[in-house]
């Protein structure tokens, strides 16, 4: 399932303050990257942010939910991808604040991958 071009454009606008965003395919959606760090994903009609540790709880406290999809054996939940809070969907300043926090997590994960390859 392809991502709606309007959603991609909206996400690029929300996160423009991070710098040049590149994209790759992910789970039938689109992953958003700064350099080699995937900080967000567009899946279905939602924007999901990279999260780990305390940031997951901060997203949940703001009303976000983990990405999930149905399988033959039941729902599969991906806690490391959490929806962008509704309040940030139309507020670029708030969206950018969340994105910067997710980018920190994403950069740390990218660094761990690079270190593992060495």
């Amino acid at each position: 399932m392809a991502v709606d071009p309007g959603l991609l454009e909206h996400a690029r606008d929300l996160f423009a303050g991070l710098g040049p965003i590149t994209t790759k395919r992910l789970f039938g959606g689109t992953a958003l990257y700064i350099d080699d760090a995937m900080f967000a994903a567009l899946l279905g009609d939602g924007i999901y942010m990279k999260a780990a540790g305390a940031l997951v709880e901060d997203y949940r406290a703001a009303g976000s939910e983990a990405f999930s999809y149905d399988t033959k054996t039941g729902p599969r939940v991906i806690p490391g991808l959490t929806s962008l809070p509704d309040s940030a969907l139309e507020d670029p300043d708030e969206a950018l604040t969340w994105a910067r926090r997710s980018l920190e997590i994403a950069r740390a994960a990218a660094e761990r991958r690079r270190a593992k390859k060495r």
Side-chain angles (χ1 to χ4, degrees):
M1 176 180 178
V3 169
D4 176 3
L7 180 61
L8 178 56
E9 182 179 342
H10 182 62
R12 285 184 180 276
D13 288 345
L14 285 175
F15 306 134
L18 294 177
I21 295 171
T22 57
T23 62
K24 293 183 185 176
R25 292 178 152 230
L26 175 74
F27 300 139
T30 300
L32 305 180
Y33 288 80
I34 297 291
D35 301 320
D36 66 341
M38 186 198 90
F39 71 95
L42 309 179
L43 300 163
D45 61 356
I47 300 174
Y48 292 87
M49 308 303 291
K50 181 85 170 172
L55 184 55
V56 172
E57 296 308 315
D58 290 347
Y59 272 115
R60 285 197 182 128
S64 298
E65 295 182 7
F67 174 70
S68 67
Y69 60 94
D70 292 325
T71 69
K72 290 179 183 177
T73 59
R76 168 113 161 99
V77 177
I78 311 295
L81 287 174
T82 305
S83 61
L84 185 64
D86 288 344
S87 59
L89 289 172
E90 298 302 326
D91 183 343
D93 292 331
E94 183 182 350
L96 201 51
T97 297
W98 286 111
R100 284 187 177 116
R101 294 183 69 196
S102 288
L103 184 55
E104 279 184 42
I105 300 293
R107 283 184 169 148
E111 179 56 36
R112 286 191 299 277
R113 281 191 305 278
R114 284 190 300 273
K116 199 177 201 181
K117 288 182 181 181
R118 291 185 219 141

